[in-house]
Amino acid sequence: MNIVLMGCPGAGKGTQSAKLQQKFDLYHISTGDVLRAEIASGSELGKKIAAIINDGNLVPDELMVSMLEKIVSATDKGIIFDGFPRTVAQAEALDAMMKRLNREITEVVMIDLPESEVVSRISSRRQCKKCGAILHVDLNAPLTACPACGGELYSRADDTPERVKHRLEVYHHDTLPVKNYYQNSGKYVEVNGNQSPEQVFEDISKVLEKVK
Ligand code: AP5
Ligand code: MG
């Protein structure tokens, strides 16, 4: 089973991927995490990527696709694609890549969230440097360490309200056309992301139980 998980910034792709990965024994690829790992490595490529993603823009399709193909080729497990494809060109490249690897996309799940929720959700997000956990913190009494592993928590450089607004514009312009690309494929479903994480997980799980 190979799943594409779509949704605007803050829709809950990372939160749901962590749960789905465990339940369905899938390999989780977040292209955002892949790019942030390249930045953290301190490489020259990472410096170029930082300049792009910290402003909330997309890295070029060819670079993203070539980084992704290496990761996909290295696993035999079913995959959750989180944050990819983000352009129609990436969606076409993904189809071609999966065909070459004798695989196919099983289902495309869109987590639907009203934009009015996005800035406040993302402002309250912290991520653990050690275990990668995504947390929703109370800004009046913010956590100082990860409750799961004690690791240091951080806010992403692209999570300021201004950058989030720009990321939403990019989402509209470049990524919403991907929804049209998949909508007539018979593999596209939407779930309501504006409910508790547990309820969203239940709804996505029901969809995946049917296709696994
Ligand atoms: P990426 O890291 O993918 O960011 P994004 O798509 O903007 O999405 P987020 O990670 O911000 O949100 P999410 O949907 O994962 O939500 P989360 O679960 O964390 O990409 C970052 C950048 O990298 C891009 O802008 C671009 O520059 C570049 N990039 C990445 N992929 C690329 C590609 N394919 N091509 C080119 N460039 C690419 O949840 C958010 C918060 O809400 C958390 O605090 C969480 O606890 C909370 N929350 C989650 N679910 C719920 C719920 N149901 N109710 C209440 N709170 C919830
Ligand atoms: Mg994410």
Side-chain angles (χ1 to χ4, degrees):
M1 181 160 71
N2 297 297
I3 308 301
V4 169
L5 206 52
M6 290 187 68
C8 65
K13 302 181 293 295
T15 301
Q16 296 302 325
S17 293
K19 292 167 178 278
L20 294 166
Q21 165 186 32
Q22 281 197 345
K23 175 162 179 158
F24 294 96
D25 191 26
L26 297 168
Y27 188 78
H28 173 209
I29 304 176
S30 154
T31 43
D33 287 347
V34 169
L35 296 168
R36 284 184 286 275
E38 188 65 42
I39 294 171
S41 77
S43 68
E44 282 307 311
L45 177 62
K47 285 177 193 151
K48 286 184 191 147
I49 290 172
I52 298 171
I53 84 170
N54 291 349
D55 280 345
N57 294 314
L58 299 182
V59 304
D61 289 332
E62 311 76 56
L63 172 62
M64 196 69 258
V65 170
S66 71
M67 288 177 89
L68 188 83
E69 181 145 15
K70 284 186 199 133
I71 303 170
V72 172
S73 311
T75 181
D76 290 331
K77 275 186 147 185
I79 296 172
I80 308 178
F81 294 95
D82 158 3
F84 185 96
R86 245 174 163 98
T87 63
V88 171
Q90 290 183 11
E92 289 167 351
L94 179 61
D95 278 346
M97 181 196 310
M98 295 303 266
K99 205 168 177 186
R100 277 198 299 283
L101 298 171
N102 254 331
R103 302 186 194 180
E104 65 173 343
I105 297 299
T106 320
E107 200 72 0
V108 178
V109 179
M110 165 69 87
I111 306 177
D112 202 22
L113 184 71
E115 282 182 23
S116 51
E117 298 294 318
V118 171
V119 170
S120 73
R121 262 201 196 185
I122 288 187
S123 302
S124 305
R125 171 171 54 196
R126 297 292 179 276
Q127 205 158 348
C128 175
K129 276 192 179 167
K130 200 166 159 195
C131 72
I134 298 168
L135 304 163
H136 178 84
V137 299
D138 176 352
L139 294 176
N140 293 318
L143 290 171
T144 48
C146 174
C149 74
E152 189 186 336
L153 300 179
Y154 73 100
S155 295
R156 282 169 32 184
D158 59 347
D159 275 357
T160 62
E162 297 70 34
R163 302 270 161 79
V164 172
K165 281 179 197 147
H166 181 61
R167 281 159 61 196
L168 276 169
E169 286 164 10
V170 172
Y171 177 77
H172 273 274
H173 186 265
D174 293 308
T175 308
L176 270 184
V178 177
K179 169 177 163 175
N180 302 336
Y181 179 88
Y182 285 125
Q183 234 163 358
N184 296 325
S185 67
K187 298 175 178 177
Y188 177 87
V189 286
E190 288 183 6
V191 299
N192 177 8
N194 199 14
Q195 31 179 8
S196 71
E198 294 72 26
Q199 190 59 54
V200 178
F201 180 56
E202 201 178 314
D203 289 359
I204 300 177
S205 295
K206 274 188 204 148
V207 171
L208 300 190
E209 289 289 357
K210 283 191 203 148
V211 296
K212 80 172 180 188

PDB file of all heavy atoms in Angstrom, residues 57-87:
ATOM      1  N   ASN A  57       9.030  29.051   0.149  1.00  0.00           N
ATOM      2  CA  ASN A  57       8.888  28.691  -1.269  1.00  0.00           C
ATOM      3  C   ASN A  57       9.209  27.214  -1.482  1.00  0.00           C
ATOM      4  O   ASN A  57       9.746  26.553  -0.587  1.00  0.00           O
ATOM      5  CB  ASN A  57       9.821  29.565  -2.117  1.00  0.00           C
ATOM      6  CG  ASN A  57       9.379  31.020  -2.070  1.00  0.00           C
ATOM      7  OD1 ASN A  57       8.198  31.310  -2.216  1.00  0.00           O
ATOM      8  ND2 ASN A  57      10.314  31.931  -1.838  1.00  0.00           N
ATOM      9  N   LEU A  58       8.909  26.708  -2.680  1.00  0.00           N
ATOM     10  CA  LEU A  58       9.154  25.294  -2.975  1.00  0.00           C
ATOM     11  C   LEU A  58      10.541  25.119  -3.581  1.00  0.00           C
ATOM     12  O   LEU A  58      10.971  25.934  -4.397  1.00  0.00           O
ATOM     13  CB  LEU A  58       8.115  24.765  -3.981  1.00  0.00           C
ATOM     14  CG  LEU A  58       6.656  24.802  -3.553  1.00  0.00           C
ATOM     15  CD1 LEU A  58       5.763  24.195  -4.642  1.00  0.00           C
ATOM     16  CD2 LEU A  58       6.432  24.055  -2.238  1.00  0.00           C
ATOM     17  N   VAL A  59      11.221  24.021  -3.219  1.00  0.00           N
ATOM     18  CA  VAL A  59      12.494  23.734  -3.888  1.00  0.00           C
ATOM     19  C   VAL A  59      12.152  23.230  -5.304  1.00  0.00           C
ATOM     20  O   VAL A  59      11.053  22.732  -5.543  1.00  0.00           O
ATOM     21  CB  VAL A  59      13.362  22.694  -3.119  1.00  0.00           C
ATOM     22  CG1 VAL A  59      13.615  23.133  -1.696  1.00  0.00           C
ATOM     23  CG2 VAL A  59      12.734  21.318  -3.132  1.00  0.00           C
ATOM     24  N   PRO A  60      13.097  23.363  -6.258  1.00  0.00           N
ATOM     25  CA  PRO A  60      12.790  22.987  -7.641  1.00  0.00           C
ATOM     26  C   PRO A  60      12.380  21.513  -7.761  1.00  0.00           C
ATOM     27  O   PRO A  60      12.911  20.645  -7.055  1.00  0.00           O
ATOM     28  CB  PRO A  60      14.117  23.240  -8.373  1.00  0.00           C
ATOM     29  CG  PRO A  60      14.844  24.224  -7.521  1.00  0.00           C
ATOM     30  CD  PRO A  60      14.438  23.938  -6.106  1.00  0.00           C
ATOM     31  N   ASP A  61      11.451  21.263  -8.680  1.00  0.00           N
ATOM     32  CA  ASP A  61      10.909  19.914  -8.848  1.00  0.00           C
ATOM     33  C   ASP A  61      12.005  18.870  -9.097  1.00  0.00           C
ATOM     34  O   ASP A  61      11.992  17.797  -8.494  1.00  0.00           O
ATOM     35  CB  ASP A  61       9.926  19.887 -10.042  1.00  0.00           C
ATOM     36  CG  ASP A  61       8.630  20.626  -9.727  1.00  0.00           C
ATOM     37  OD1 ASP A  61       8.254  20.690  -8.537  1.00  0.00           O
ATOM     38  OD2 ASP A  61       8.001  21.136 -10.665  1.00  0.00           O
ATOM     39  N   GLU A  62      12.963  19.187  -9.994  1.00  0.00           N
ATOM     40  CA  GLU A  62      13.965  18.168 -10.374  1.00  0.00           C
ATOM     41  C   GLU A  62      14.779  17.751  -9.151  1.00  0.00           C
ATOM     42  O   GLU A  62      15.079  16.566  -8.967  1.00  0.00           O
ATOM     43  CB  GLU A  62      14.953  18.690 -11.435  1.00  0.00           C
ATOM     44  CG  GLU A  62      14.317  19.367 -12.641  1.00  0.00           C
ATOM     45  CD  GLU A  62      13.817  20.771 -12.317  1.00  0.00           C
ATOM     46  OE1 GLU A  62      14.624  21.590 -11.853  1.00  0.00           O
ATOM     47  OE2 GLU A  62      12.613  21.046 -12.509  1.00  0.00           O
ATOM     48  N   LEU A  63      15.144  18.729  -8.308  1.00  0.00           N
ATOM     49  CA  LEU A  63      15.924  18.428  -7.108  1.00  0.00           C
ATOM     50  C   LEU A  63      15.110  17.547  -6.165  1.00  0.00           C
ATOM     51  O   LEU A  63      15.588  16.531  -5.655  1.00  0.00           O
ATOM     52  CB  LEU A  63      16.331  19.731  -6.411  1.00  0.00           C
ATOM     53  CG  LEU A  63      16.978  19.573  -5.039  1.00  0.00           C
ATOM     54  CD1 LEU A  63      18.287  18.795  -5.146  1.00  0.00           C
ATOM     55  CD2 LEU A  63      17.243  20.928  -4.394  1.00  0.00           C
ATOM     56  N   MET A  64      13.853  17.932  -5.942  1.00  0.00           N
ATOM     57  CA  MET A  64      12.992  17.179  -5.016  1.00  0.00           C
ATOM     58  C   MET A  64      12.797  15.751  -5.502  1.00  0.00           C
ATOM     59  O   MET A  64      12.884  14.795  -4.739  1.00  0.00           O
ATOM     60  CB  MET A  64      11.633  17.904  -4.914  1.00  0.00           C
ATOM     61  CG  MET A  64      10.789  17.499  -3.748  1.00  0.00           C
ATOM     62  SD  MET A  64      11.475  18.031  -2.168  1.00  0.00           S
ATOM     63  CE  MET A  64      12.212  16.545  -1.538  1.00  0.00           C
ATOM     64  N   VAL A  65      12.533  15.605  -6.804  1.00  0.00           N
ATOM     65  CA  VAL A  65      12.260  14.271  -7.358  1.00  0.00           C
ATOM     66  C   VAL A  65      13.506  13.389  -7.253  1.00  0.00           C
ATOM     67  O   VAL A  65      13.416  12.220  -6.881  1.00  0.00           O
ATOM     68  CB  VAL A  65      11.779  14.387  -8.836  1.00  0.00           C
ATOM     69  CG1 VAL A  65      11.724  13.025  -9.502  1.00  0.00           C
ATOM     70  CG2 VAL A  65      10.414  15.063  -8.891  1.00  0.00           C
ATOM     71  N   SER A  66      14.680  13.956  -7.535  1.00  0.00           N
ATOM     72  CA  SER A  66      15.879  13.109  -7.478  1.00  0.00           C
ATOM     73  C   SER A  66      16.208  12.723  -6.035  1.00  0.00           C
ATOM     74  O   SER A  66      16.635  11.604  -5.758  1.00  0.00           O
ATOM     75  CB  SER A  66      17.073  13.756  -8.177  1.00  0.00           C
ATOM     76  OG  SER A  66      17.527  14.831  -7.412  1.00  0.00           O
ATOM     77  N   MET A  67      15.968  13.628  -5.081  1.00  0.00           N
ATOM     78  CA  MET A  67      16.196  13.276  -3.663  1.00  0.00           C
ATOM     79  C   MET A  67      15.224  12.163  -3.253  1.00  0.00           C
ATOM     80  O   MET A  67      15.572  11.230  -2.545  1.00  0.00           O
ATOM     81  CB  MET A  67      15.979  14.495  -2.757  1.00  0.00           C
ATOM     82  CG  MET A  67      17.083  15.535  -2.859  1.00  0.00           C
ATOM     83  SD  MET A  67      16.733  16.997  -1.839  1.00  0.00           S
ATOM     84  CE  MET A  67      17.473  16.507  -0.288  1.00  0.00           C
ATOM     85  N   LEU A  68      13.990  12.278  -3.722  1.00  0.00           N
ATOM     86  CA  LEU A  68      12.961  11.313  -3.321  1.00  0.00           C
ATOM     87  C   LEU A  68      13.219   9.923  -3.911  1.00  0.00           C
ATOM     88  O   LEU A  68      13.039   8.906  -3.246  1.00  0.00           O
ATOM     89  CB  LEU A  68      11.591  11.827  -3.798  1.00  0.00           C
ATOM     90  CG  LEU A  68      10.439  11.012  -3.265  1.00  0.00           C
ATOM     91  CD1 LEU A  68      10.074  11.484  -1.866  1.00  0.00           C
ATOM     92  CD2 LEU A  68       9.236  11.106  -4.172  1.00  0.00           C
ATOM     93  N   GLU A  69      13.650   9.906  -5.178  1.00  0.00           N
ATOM     94  CA  GLU A  69      13.800   8.602  -5.847  1.00  0.00           C
ATOM     95  C   GLU A  69      14.816   7.727  -5.111  1.00  0.00           C
ATOM     96  O   GLU A  69      14.628   6.524  -4.973  1.00  0.00           O
ATOM     97  CB  GLU A  69      14.195   8.788  -7.319  1.00  0.00           C
ATOM     98  CG  GLU A  69      14.324   7.445  -8.045  1.00  0.00           C
ATOM     99  CD  GLU A  69      13.875   7.480  -9.500  1.00  0.00           C
ATOM    100  OE1 GLU A  69      13.725   8.578 -10.048  1.00  0.00           O
ATOM    101  OE2 GLU A  69      13.666   6.385 -10.074  1.00  0.00           O
ATOM    102  N   LYS A  70      15.874   8.349  -4.593  1.00  0.00           N
ATOM    103  CA  LYS A  70      16.885   7.573  -3.850  1.00  0.00           C
ATOM    104  C   LYS A  70      16.246   6.918  -2.627  1.00  0.00           C
ATOM    105  O   LYS A  70      16.525   5.764  -2.307  1.00  0.00           O
ATOM    106  CB  LYS A  70      18.019   8.496  -3.387  1.00  0.00           C
ATOM    107  CG  LYS A  70      18.951   8.869  -4.503  1.00  0.00           C
ATOM    108  CD  LYS A  70      20.147   9.667  -3.971  1.00  0.00           C
ATOM    109  CE  LYS A  70      20.784  10.418  -5.143  1.00  0.00           C
ATOM    110  NZ  LYS A  70      21.075  11.809  -4.892  1.00  0.00           N
ATOM    111  N   ILE A  71      15.387   7.644  -1.952  1.00  0.00           N
ATOM    112  CA  ILE A  71      14.784   7.128  -0.717  1.00  0.00           C
ATOM    113  C   ILE A  71      13.767   6.034  -1.044  1.00  0.00           C
ATOM    114  O   ILE A  71      13.747   4.973  -0.414  1.00  0.00           O
ATOM    115  CB  ILE A  71      14.101   8.271   0.068  1.00  0.00           C
ATOM    116  CG1 ILE A  71      15.108   9.373   0.366  1.00  0.00           C
ATOM    117  CG2 ILE A  71      13.486   7.760   1.364  1.00  0.00           C
ATOM    118  CD1 ILE A  71      14.486  10.648   0.911  1.00  0.00           C
ATOM    119  N   VAL A  72      12.959   6.267  -2.058  1.00  0.00           N
ATOM    120  CA  VAL A  72      11.924   5.284  -2.421  1.00  0.00           C
ATOM    121  C   VAL A  72      12.585   3.976  -2.874  1.00  0.00           C
ATOM    122  O   VAL A  72      12.151   2.882  -2.507  1.00  0.00           O
ATOM    123  CB  VAL A  72      11.002   5.850  -3.534  1.00  0.00           C
ATOM    124  CG1 VAL A  72      10.049   4.786  -4.053  1.00  0.00           C
ATOM    125  CG2 VAL A  72      10.223   7.052  -3.020  1.00  0.00           C
ATOM    126  N   SER A  73      13.655   4.102  -3.659  1.00  0.00           N
ATOM    127  CA  SER A  73      14.317   2.900  -4.189  1.00  0.00           C
ATOM    128  C   SER A  73      14.943   2.064  -3.079  1.00  0.00           C
ATOM    129  O   SER A  73      15.180   0.875  -3.254  1.00  0.00           O
ATOM    130  CB  SER A  73      15.445   3.280  -5.159  1.00  0.00           C
ATOM    131  OG  SER A  73      14.978   4.193  -6.080  1.00  0.00           O
ATOM    132  N   ALA A  74      15.223   2.697  -1.944  1.00  0.00           N
ATOM    133  CA  ALA A  74      15.945   1.996  -0.878  1.00  0.00           C
ATOM    134  C   ALA A  74      15.028   1.227   0.069  1.00  0.00           C
ATOM    135  O   ALA A  74      15.507   0.595   1.001  1.00  0.00           O
ATOM    136  CB  ALA A  74      16.781   2.998  -0.082  1.00  0.00           C
ATOM    137  N   THR A  75      13.716   1.271  -0.156  1.00  0.00           N
ATOM    138  CA  THR A  75      12.821   0.516   0.736  1.00  0.00           C
ATOM    139  C   THR A  75      11.833  -0.337  -0.060  1.00  0.00           C
ATOM    140  O   THR A  75      11.396   0.060  -1.133  1.00  0.00           O
ATOM    141  CB  THR A  75      12.045   1.459   1.694  1.00  0.00           C
ATOM    142  OG1 THR A  75      11.223   0.664   2.548  1.00  0.00           O
ATOM    143  CG2 THR A  75      11.171   2.455   0.963  1.00  0.00           C
ATOM    144  N   ASP A  76      11.539  -1.517   0.494  1.00  0.00           N
ATOM    145  CA  ASP A  76      10.530  -2.393  -0.124  1.00  0.00           C
ATOM    146  C   ASP A  76       9.184  -2.218   0.553  1.00  0.00           C
ATOM    147  O   ASP A  76       8.190  -2.808   0.154  1.00  0.00           O
ATOM    148  CB  ASP A  76      10.942  -3.874   0.035  1.00  0.00           C
ATOM    149  CG  ASP A  76      12.135  -4.188  -0.831  1.00  0.00           C
ATOM    150  OD1 ASP A  76      12.282  -3.528  -1.869  1.00  0.00           O
ATOM    151  OD2 ASP A  76      12.925  -5.076  -0.440  1.00  0.00           O
ATOM    152  N   LYS A  77       9.185  -1.438   1.643  1.00  0.00           N
ATOM    153  CA  LYS A  77       7.930  -1.271   2.398  1.00  0.00           C
ATOM    154  C   LYS A  77       6.932  -0.403   1.637  1.00  0.00           C
ATOM    155  O   LYS A  77       7.326   0.396   0.775  1.00  0.00           O
ATOM    156  CB  LYS A  77       8.238  -0.558   3.717  1.00  0.00           C
ATOM    157  CG  LYS A  77       8.688  -1.467   4.830  1.00  0.00           C
ATOM    158  CD  LYS A  77       8.804  -0.656   6.093  1.00  0.00           C
ATOM    159  CE  LYS A  77       8.464  -1.468   7.303  1.00  0.00           C
ATOM    160  NZ  LYS A  77       8.450  -0.659   8.518  1.00  0.00           N
ATOM    161  N   GLY A  78       5.655  -0.515   1.991  1.00  0.00           N
ATOM    162  CA  GLY A  78       4.679   0.451   1.514  1.00  0.00           C
ATOM    163  C   GLY A  78       5.042   1.818   2.078  1.00  0.00           C
ATOM    164  O   GLY A  78       5.671   1.907   3.135  1.00  0.00           O
ATOM    165  N   ILE A  79       4.669   2.869   1.357  1.00  0.00           N
ATOM    166  CA  ILE A  79       5.151   4.217   1.713  1.00  0.00           C
ATOM    167  C   ILE A  79       3.987   5.174   1.966  1.00  0.00           C
ATOM    168  O   ILE A  79       2.959   5.104   1.287  1.00  0.00           O
ATOM    169  CB  ILE A  79       6.028   4.767   0.563  1.00  0.00           C
ATOM    170  CG1 ILE A  79       7.284   3.901   0.398  1.00  0.00           C
ATOM    171  CG2 ILE A  79       6.413   6.219   0.802  1.00  0.00           C
ATOM    172  CD1 ILE A  79       8.107   4.228  -0.823  1.00  0.00           C
ATOM    173  N   ILE A  80       4.170   6.069   2.958  1.00  0.00           N
ATOM    174  CA  ILE A  80       3.299   7.247   3.075  1.00  0.00           C
ATOM    175  C   ILE A  80       4.098   8.427   2.558  1.00  0.00           C
ATOM    176  O   ILE A  80       5.151   8.760   3.120  1.00  0.00           O
ATOM    177  CB  ILE A  80       2.940   7.609   4.532  1.00  0.00           C
ATOM    178  CG1 ILE A  80       2.393   6.432   5.286  1.00  0.00           C
ATOM    179  CG2 ILE A  80       1.969   8.788   4.571  1.00  0.00           C
ATOM    180  CD1 ILE A  80       2.083   6.779   6.745  1.00  0.00           C
ATOM    181  N   PHE A  81       3.632   9.057   1.505  1.00  0.00           N
ATOM    182  CA  PHE A  81       4.249  10.279   0.998  1.00  0.00           C
ATOM    183  C   PHE A  81       3.565  11.466   1.674  1.00  0.00           C
ATOM    184  O   PHE A  81       2.386  11.707   1.447  1.00  0.00           O
ATOM    185  CB  PHE A  81       4.080  10.381  -0.524  1.00  0.00           C
ATOM    186  CG  PHE A  81       4.828   9.325  -1.290  1.00  0.00           C
ATOM    187  CD1 PHE A  81       4.195   8.152  -1.690  1.00  0.00           C
ATOM    188  CD2 PHE A  81       6.165   9.507  -1.614  1.00  0.00           C
ATOM    189  CE1 PHE A  81       4.877   7.179  -2.397  1.00  0.00           C
ATOM    190  CE2 PHE A  81       6.860   8.538  -2.320  1.00  0.00           C
ATOM    191  CZ  PHE A  81       6.214   7.361  -2.710  1.00  0.00           C
ATOM    192  N   ASP A  82       4.312  12.179   2.505  1.00  0.00           N
ATOM    193  CA  ASP A  82       3.779  13.318   3.279  1.00  0.00           C
ATOM    194  C   ASP A  82       4.402  14.592   2.714  1.00  0.00           C
ATOM    195  O   ASP A  82       5.603  14.818   2.851  1.00  0.00           O
ATOM    196  CB  ASP A  82       4.130  13.067   4.758  1.00  0.00           C
ATOM    197  CG  ASP A  82       4.150  14.318   5.637  1.00  0.00           C
ATOM    198  OD1 ASP A  82       3.850  15.425   5.165  1.00  0.00           O
ATOM    199  OD2 ASP A  82       4.495  14.170   6.825  1.00  0.00           O
ATOM    200  N   GLY A  83       3.574  15.397   2.032  1.00  0.00           N
ATOM    201  CA  GLY A  83       4.098  16.646   1.468  1.00  0.00           C
ATOM    202  C   GLY A  83       4.673  16.486   0.077  1.00  0.00           C
ATOM    203  O   GLY A  83       5.345  17.384  -0.424  1.00  0.00           O
ATOM    204  N   PHE A  84       4.409  15.385  -0.550  1.00  0.00           N
ATOM    205  CA  PHE A  84       4.837  15.113  -1.928  1.00  0.00           C
ATOM    206  C   PHE A  84       3.759  14.260  -2.583  1.00  0.00           C
ATOM    207  O   PHE A  84       3.318  13.309  -1.955  1.00  0.00           O
ATOM    208  CB  PHE A  84       6.176  14.359  -1.951  1.00  0.00           C
ATOM    209  CG  PHE A  84       6.718  14.171  -3.343  1.00  0.00           C
ATOM    210  CD1 PHE A  84       7.657  15.058  -3.855  1.00  0.00           C
ATOM    211  CD2 PHE A  84       6.276  13.131  -4.147  1.00  0.00           C
ATOM    212  CE1 PHE A  84       8.155  14.888  -5.136  1.00  0.00           C
ATOM    213  CE2 PHE A  84       6.754  12.971  -5.427  1.00  0.00           C
ATOM    214  CZ  PHE A  84       7.700  13.847  -5.921  1.00  0.00           C
ATOM    215  N   PRO A  85       3.313  14.558  -3.797  1.00  0.00           N
ATOM    216  CA  PRO A  85       3.735  15.642  -4.668  1.00  0.00           C
ATOM    217  C   PRO A  85       3.092  16.973  -4.293  1.00  0.00           C
ATOM    218  O   PRO A  85       1.994  17.013  -3.769  1.00  0.00           O
ATOM    219  CB  PRO A  85       3.254  15.186  -6.050  1.00  0.00           C
ATOM    220  CG  PRO A  85       2.067  14.323  -5.779  1.00  0.00           C
ATOM    221  CD  PRO A  85       2.323  13.658  -4.458  1.00  0.00           C
ATOM    222  N   ARG A  86       3.809  18.039  -4.631  1.00  0.00           N
ATOM    223  CA  ARG A  86       3.359  19.384  -4.298  1.00  0.00           C
ATOM    224  C   ARG A  86       3.131  20.240  -5.529  1.00  0.00           C
ATOM    225  O   ARG A  86       2.740  21.392  -5.411  1.00  0.00           O
ATOM    226  CB  ARG A  86       4.449  20.055  -3.470  1.00  0.00           C
ATOM    227  CG  ARG A  86       3.997  20.357  -2.066  1.00  0.00           C
ATOM    228  CD  ARG A  86       5.213  20.875  -1.349  1.00  0.00           C
ATOM    229  NE  ARG A  86       4.855  21.547  -0.166  1.00  0.00           N
ATOM    230  CZ  ARG A  86       4.888  20.975   1.049  1.00  0.00           C
ATOM    231  NH1 ARG A  86       5.223  19.729   1.199  1.00  0.00           N
ATOM    232  NH2 ARG A  86       4.564  21.674   2.094  1.00  0.00           N
ATOM    233  N   THR A  87       3.433  19.685  -6.679  1.00  0.00           N
ATOM    234  CA  THR A  87       3.143  20.345  -7.960  1.00  0.00           C
ATOM    235  C   THR A  87       2.656  19.247  -8.905  1.00  0.00           C
ATOM    236  O   THR A  87       2.914  18.049  -8.666  1.00  0.00           O
ATOM    237  CB  THR A  87       4.411  20.979  -8.585  1.00  0.00           C
ATOM    238  OG1 THR A  87       5.336  19.932  -8.864  1.00  0.00           O
ATOM    239  CG2 THR A  87       5.056  22.005  -7.676  1.00  0.00           C
TER     240      THR A  87
END
